[in-house]
Amino acid sequence: MNVNVNLAFLSLSILYIAFLNVMFLKKGHIKTFELDTFGKLIKLNLIGILLEFGCIFTIKYSSSEILIEIVNRLFLLYLVTFVFLFSLYVFSISFDKVNKKNNTLRMIIMLMYLFSVFLIFYLKLDIYNKNNIIYSYGPSTNVVYIISTICVILCFVSMIKNYKELKSKKYLPLFVFIIGGSVVALIQKINPALTLATSMEAYLLMIMYHTIENPDMKILEEVHRAKEISDNANEEKTMFLYNMTN
């Protein structure tokens, strides 16, 4: 990766994603699978950015090949984990009903994830470090590209099966993921020194934050309080009418 350019992107991304984590944690939420998954994604992205910083600094300043390899493999693990977790989010908004077919699909995704984790840590990983350009390559890195492509295809199929909801704002992050991911993959194919995956994912999460259903807890408390007042008034009215008739 071109160190200076990547450090600039990472520095901006970590500031935003740290702020997003704080905002999300401070605000009350209804517990849903979508919001739970989003919470995991923003925490994961923060870890991923820190790992990418770790990749840069260990390659540049560490003499331990074992440490360099561990940090880089952990970063690849992060990339795969993010893709799988985002795929589960897409499946959750595409298929509201829980049925045997959806459970089978989730099981297949989990098995794919476990297999990809095994391959990432088992296959060979090479490091390029010359003229202030740093990046990892080899079979272990190729696993990330292959698995990411498969997940994007599965997400796209889920989206097509639920085509009636394509105008829903929930699908905007998926469009960004497909288009942005393709652009990033093309850039890295042409210039493997420039890694933009974590920065693209931070931008994706920003969009998700503004499109995901996230009712304000204060409003919900006010609605609940108003409902209680209304129920009490109706009960008193019923008792009054009952007493009048007797």
Side-chain angles (χ1 to χ4, degrees):
M1 57 185 88
N2 187 303
V3 175
N4 295 329
V5 174
N6 283 310
L7 284 175
F9 277 112
L10 288 173
S11 298
L12 291 173
S13 299
I14 198 168
L15 288 173
Y16 172 75
I17 207 66
F19 176 75
L20 188 59
N21 270 278
V22 171
M23 291 295 294
F24 186 76
L25 289 173
K26 283 180 66 177
K27 190 175 182 181
H29 304 283
I30 294 178
K31 190 170 180 60
T32 64
F33 182 81
E34 290 175 48
L35 286 171
D36 184 53
T37 303
F38 177 75
K40 290 175 181 176
L41 283 170
I42 58 176
K43 292 181 182 71
L44 187 62
N45 186 244
L46 181 60
I47 294 170
I49 294 172
L50 293 173
L51 280 171
E52 191 165 0
F53 272 118
C55 291
I56 295 172
F57 289 112
T58 53
I59 293 173
K60 280 182 71 67
Y61 303 113
S62 176
S63 58
S64 172
E65 293 185 3
I66 294 176
L67 178 61
I68 292 171
E69 184 171 335
I70 289 173
V71 174
N72 276 269
R73 287 186 188 274
L74 285 174
F75 179 65
L76 295 180
L77 174 62
Y78 153 75
L79 292 173
V80 166
T81 304
F82 187 95
V83 169
F84 275 104
L85 197 55
F86 182 77
S87 299
L88 289 176
Y89 166 80
V90 173
F91 298 148
S92 73
I93 64 173
S94 298
F95 308 106
D96 293 327
K97 295 180 180 179
V98 177
N99 55 47
K100 190 176 290 185
K101 186 180 291 186
N102 294 341
N103 288 335
T104 301
L105 181 59
R106 289 191 176 94
M107 183 62 68
I108 292 171
I109 290 293
M110 288 305 300
L111 290 174
M112 282 175 55
Y113 174 71
L114 293 174
F115 184 60
S116 64
V117 170
F118 168 76
L119 292 177
I120 284 171
F121 284 94
Y122 177 75
L123 296 176
K124 185 181 179 184
L125 178 68
D126 297 304
I127 305 293
Y128 183 93
N129 181 19
K130 291 180 181 178
N131 301 322
N132 206 35
I133 293 175
I134 301 170
Y135 62 90
S136 60
Y137 64 100
S140 185
T141 305
N142 292 338
V143 169
V144 177
Y145 285 103
I146 294 169
I147 292 298
S148 298
T149 302
I150 292 172
C151 285
V152 167
I153 292 172
L154 288 175
C155 288
F156 188 73
V157 170
S158 300
M159 185 176 68
I160 295 302
K161 284 193 172 184
N162 201 30
Y163 66 93
K164 292 181 180 179
E165 301 294 329
L166 283 181
K167 293 182 180 179
S168 170
K169 64 179 182 178
K170 289 184 180 181
Y171 276 108
L172 183 58
L174 178 55
F175 292 127
V176 173
F177 184 67
I178 292 174
I179 297 171
S182 301
V183 171
V184 167
L186 181 62
I187 291 173
Q188 289 190 211
K189 191 71 176 176
I190 298 171
N191 182 12
L194 191 61
T195 57
L196 301 172
T198 47
S199 298
M200 185 273 291
E201 288 161 357
Y203 178 67
L204 171 71
L205 292 170
M206 177 187 71
I207 295 174
M208 284 180 69
Y209 183 76
H210 294 290
T211 57
I212 196 169
E213 287 186 1
N214 184 19
D216 193 296
M217 291 297 289
K218 289 183 179 179
I219 295 175
L220 290 173
E221 287 173 4
E222 290 176 5
V223 170
H224 180 67
R225 195 178 300 115
K227 184 177 182 300
E228 284 184 342
I229 294 171
S230 176
D231 290 342
N232 291 335
N234 288 333
E235 188 176 342
E236 290 176 3
K237 184 178 179 180
T238 302
M239 289 299 296
F240 175 77
L241 293 173
Y242 176 79
N243 292 331
M244 288 289 291
T245 54
N246 291 287

